[in-house]
Amino acid sequence: AGDYWNARGIERIARGYFGEALERYRNWGATTLVRRLEQKHPTVRIRWKAGAVTRPLSSTGPEIAESNQWDLSAITSAAQGIAQETSLSGVFRRAMESTIRVAGATSGALVVYRNDELVVVAEGSPSEGVRRCDRSSLVVEGYPLSIFHFVSRTGEAVILGDASVEGAFIDDPWVKKHEARSVLCAPIATRAKTIGLLFLENTLTRDAFTPTRVELVTALSGQAAISLENAELYESLVVSKAKLRALYDTPLVAMCT
């Protein structure tokens, strides 16, 4: 897992996996594996021993968002939690919970493509938790459609420190109505295409989504993309198996009539 994230340039997550492996090897007395890992990734030994300050992630804004204040084990645990989900509803829930917490957002939404249309499939907040929804049309109040369309078209994240007074989306109806402050919209993308969006908002403060938080949300969105594809494949296999079972159980006479 560490090699996976390292290859994609997400060093913070990779270090968490490498550090966890290093500690376990030491606990097991596997000195050869410890030396091998330290030789392959020399910075892991230094940074893991230094440790991370363990502080709870909250929605209070950027004051706790510096890199030396993140509990790396919590971040890697979040990525692993998303990876362990096999159902679409499970991935929706876990991805939404994890990104809201990591980003320090006051609310968020997960949006996916369905029949070439963007569909909101999960919404949540720290106080109310995550709820599954299925808004097949985004012609509804509550979302900045111009931001969604931009991220969908370009595959680039939008980070706004004070959306209602700066940036390219100040004329968006949602931004105007809600006097939006901190906004982060990140693509959920595979190597081939963008398959969805993560939308996060912090109404309490401006500039809530610091570079550290954005980096971590990007890492989790990458895991969400993998897990969504796997869950879709798994559910399609379940449906195919059920159809084959029904066909197998159908009497031959009934099939011929």
Side-chain angles (χ1 to χ4, degrees), residues 17-236:
Y17 280 107
F18 291 143
E20 183 179 355
L22 194 62
E23 287 299 299
R24 291 186 178 184
Y25 291 158
R26 283 176 178 152
N27 291 338
W28 295 338
T31 55
T32 301
L33 292 177
V34 169
R35 285 197 302 270
R36 188 178 300 170
L37 184 59
E38 287 180 339
Q39 289 171 358
K40 185 177 180 181
H41 304 285
T43 59
V44 172
R45 175 173 50 188
I46 298 171
R47 291 174 180 175
W48 187 257
K49 282 184 177 179
V53 178
T54 304
R55 296 179 60 175
L57 303 180
S58 70
S59 301
T60 57
E63 65 273 13
I64 64 167
E66 298 308 315
S67 60
N68 65 343
Q69 294 177 321
W70 288 97
D71 182 349
L72 291 178
S73 65
I75 302 303
T76 56
S77 177
Q80 289 172 334
I82 297 172
Q84 290 170 355
E85 296 292 342
T86 58
S87 68
L88 283 172
S89 60
V91 175
F92 295 157
R93 176 185 57 80
R94 190 67 71 100
M96 194 80 273
E97 288 175 348
S98 298
T99 52
I100 286 175
R101 183 169 181 265
V102 164
T106 56
S107 64
L110 194 153
V111 186
V112 299
Y113 278 104
R114 187 178 296 160
N115 298 324
D116 294 325
E117 182 182 21
L118 286 171
V119 179
V120 180
V121 293
E123 300 171 318
S125 68
S127 59
E128 298 180 0
V130 175
R131 57 189 176 278
R132 176 76 187 269
C133 56
D134 192 1
R135 301 191 182 188
S136 59
S137 174
L138 285 177
V139 188
V140 294
E141 294 184 359
Y143 294 103
L145 301 188
S146 63
I147 295 177
F148 283 9
H149 293 155
F150 176 86
V151 177
S152 300
R153 184 177 70 255
T154 65
E156 299 177 2
V158 168
I159 306 106
L160 301 172
D162 200 343
S164 61
V165 298
E166 64 184 22
F169 303 97
I170 57 176
D171 292 327
D172 182 275
W174 177 88
V175 171
K176 284 184 174 180
K177 181 177 180 179
H178 294 273
E179 297 182 349
R181 304 193 78 180
S182 299
V183 167
L184 168 58
C185 187
I188 300 174
T190 64
R191 292 182 178 180
K193 61 180 179 179
T194 298
I195 61 174
L197 309 170
L198 282 169
F199 174 70
L200 301 162
E201 180 189 10
N202 189 310
T203 59
L204 302 179
T205 183
R206 57 171 295 157
D207 298 317
F209 302 124
T210 63
T212 296
R213 291 185 186 269
V214 173
E215 181 183 357
L216 296 174
V217 168
T218 299
L220 293 182
S221 71
Q223 181 59 63
I226 296 169
S227 296
L228 284 173
E229 286 200 323
N230 290 342
E232 287 180 347
L233 177 61
Y234 177 77
E235 292 197 357
S236 66

